Amino acid sequence: MNLPALLAATTDFSKLNRLFIGAYGFEDRALGWPKLAKDHAIPLNSAIMFRYIHAKGKNRVNEVKDILSSLGCSQIGEIKYDVLSPMGIEDTIGEKLAAVLQDVEEIIVDITAMTKFLILVLLCGLAPYEKTLRIIYSEAEEYAPSESEYTKSRSEMGLIAKFPSRGSESILRARCLSSIRMQGQPVTMVAFTSFNEQLVRHMLGTLTPHRLIFLNGRPARADFKWRELATQEIHSKLIEQYSVDNPLDEEGRLTRTVSTLDYRETVQVLKNVYDVYGFHERLIIAATGGKMQTVGLYLHKMIHPDTHVEYPTPDSYYVTGMSKGIRMVHEVGFQNFSSSLRELRESNSLKSS
């Protein structure tokens, strides 16, 4: 089965019993799809919104509620999500979805303001859904740090506070992301590069893998090309330490790179890693990438349930200026979500046999 492409979010909607699932955020792009929906009068019947406890900033709750209500949401349910201790969220999501999904004909999941752990657990909860599911992601115009901030930080590390996150607080796990297969066997750990190297180091301190494989992010925008080089540079000591498993090209760049937007590249590269190591080593993946890379990671987990996924949480965030503007609202659409996942598993099983 071919994975659906990442496209501009559609604005042509028929009248269906439609559920919107999102999270209240504080960035401009948290309102990306709601504003698009308002401009095109996209009909909604109900919504589930995650409200953060210990939010990173002043979330735009009332603005989102007003838009959803204007689109016809007769009911806006809320789920409280404790960023610092989201224990039990897997069960809470399962109970909430079981109560509302029976008559829903289409679901729109906006991951823009969701944590990566929340994205993974929510999509796991939606795996049995048999109708249309659209995954929405709003791309910002500008992200922190800027190139000048990063360049200056190389000599003034105090500016690290302006990066999206720093440090690592804890490692989150969920039943739906776990696997006990190959316990006792050598561990191959896979991680995405980011602007926070400590996320990976924290994972290394708890897992002590014998192999560490990095996937470096490649922005689609030419003016963000420097970010690909920067994230590799930030992890350069670990890349050198595990150089055998992280080959470089002629220009000294990691050969395993994946788009920060096209989730299909993440699925393909993780499949390549699995095909080499997954049959004789325990494969653990750290969810340290971007949000669309996290969607790719989720699909990999659905295709290969024996992969174990963990999420190291950062201990702090740069609260203001994390991103600015709304560049584009993207969408990935699955006509029958449950059947699509099943076809992916079956297709991979045939290729492996």
Side-chain angles (χ1 to χ4, degrees), residues 71-139:
L71 295 174
C73 277
S74 58
Q75 182 179 359
I76 301 176
E78 291 189 353
I79 298 177
K80 292 183 178 180
Y81 182 85
D82 189 336
V83 175
L84 301 181
S85 181
M87 306 307 173
I89 193 65
E90 186 175 6
D91 293 329
T92 301
I93 290 174
E95 292 168 3
K96 189 71 171 180
L97 292 177
V100 301
L101 288 189
Q102 185 173 357
D103 299 321
V104 172
E105 297 173 277
E106 183 174 89
I107 298 176
I108 297 170
V109 178
D110 188 345
I111 67 170
T112 307
M114 294 185 186
T115 71
K116 285 162 275 190
F117 184 71
L118 181 54
I119 292 170
L120 291 166
V121 174
L122 173 62
L123 291 178
C124 283
L126 289 169
Y129 184 62
E130 298 178 348
K131 297 179 182 177
T132 300
L133 185 140
R134 303 175 189 270
I135 298 174
I136 302 295
Y137 175 70
S138 295
E139 180 187 0

Side-chain angles (χ1 to χ4, degrees), residues 5-238:
L6 184 74
L7 304 171
T10 182
T11 57
D12 184 17
F13 283 81
S14 58
K15 189 171 180 58
L16 296 173
N17 186 342
R18 184 172 291 111
L19 169 68
F20 176 79
I21 304 178
Y24 298 121
F26 65 92
E27 297 174 290
D28 296 335
R29 60 187 179 135
L31 291 173
W33 192 87
K35 284 184 175 180
L36 184 74
K38 183 179 180 180
D39 290 343
H40 295 273
I42 296 173
L44 297 175
N45 293 79
S46 58
I48 296 174
M49 296 298 299
F50 291 93
R51 183 191 282 263
Y52 291 116
I53 301 173
H54 303 111
K56 297 181 242 177
K58 186 178 180 181
N59 288 341
R60 304 163 85 162
V61 177
N62 291 332
E63 291 176 80
V64 174
K65 281 186 173 182
D66 289 345
I67 293 175
L68 295 179
S69 296
S70 72
L71 295 174
C73 277
S74 58
Q75 182 179 359
I76 301 176
E78 291 189 353
I79 298 177
K80 292 183 178 180
Y81 182 85
D82 189 336
V83 175
L84 301 181
S85 181
M87 306 307 173
I89 193 65
E90 186 175 6
D91 293 329
T92 301
I93 290 174
E95 292 168 3
K96 189 71 171 180
L97 292 177
V100 301
L101 288 189
Q102 185 173 357
D103 299 321
V104 172
E105 297 173 277
E106 183 174 89
I107 298 176
I108 297 170
V109 178
D110 188 345
I111 67 170
T112 307
M114 294 185 186
T115 71
K116 285 162 275 190
F117 184 71
L118 181 54
I119 292 170
L120 291 166
V121 174
L122 173 62
L123 291 178
C124 283
L126 289 169
Y129 184 62
E130 298 178 348
K131 297 179 182 177
T132 300
L133 185 140
R134 303 175 189 270
I135 298 174
I136 302 295
Y137 175 70
S138 295
E139 180 187 0
E141 195 66 55
E142 297 294 339
Y143 293 87
S146 67
E147 185 173 9
S148 61
E149 285 175 332
Y150 175 72
T151 301
K152 192 173 183 180
S153 74
R154 296 167 71 184
S155 57
E156 299 179 26
M157 291 308 292
L159 290 183
I160 197 73
K162 290 192 175 182
F163 289 3
S165 64
R166 64 182 186 272
S168 181
E169 178 72 15
S170 60
I171 294 176
L172 300 181
R173 302 174 179 90
R175 294 190 305 275
C176 63
L177 303 176
S178 299
S179 171
I180 60 173
R181 182 178 178 270
M182 305 290 285
Q183 286 197 3
Q185 297 301 309
V187 171
T188 289
M189 176 178 147
V190 181
F192 299 83
T193 60
S194 69
F195 282 92
N196 187 351
E197 184 205 27
Q198 292 304 310
L199 297 176
V200 179
R201 289 195 177 276
H202 190 41
M203 290 285 293
L204 290 173
T206 61
L207 295 177
T208 59
H210 85 117
R211 191 190 314 279
L212 171 61
I213 294 174
F214 277 112
L215 308 187
N216 199 24
R218 185 183 66 258
R221 294 165 55 176
D223 56 331
F224 280 178
K225 185 66 176 177
W226 68 269
R227 298 176 74 91
E228 177 183 349
L229 304 177
T231 51
Q232 177 173 331
E233 182 180 44
I234 287 169
H235 296 78
S236 59
K237 291 183 179 179
L238 288 174

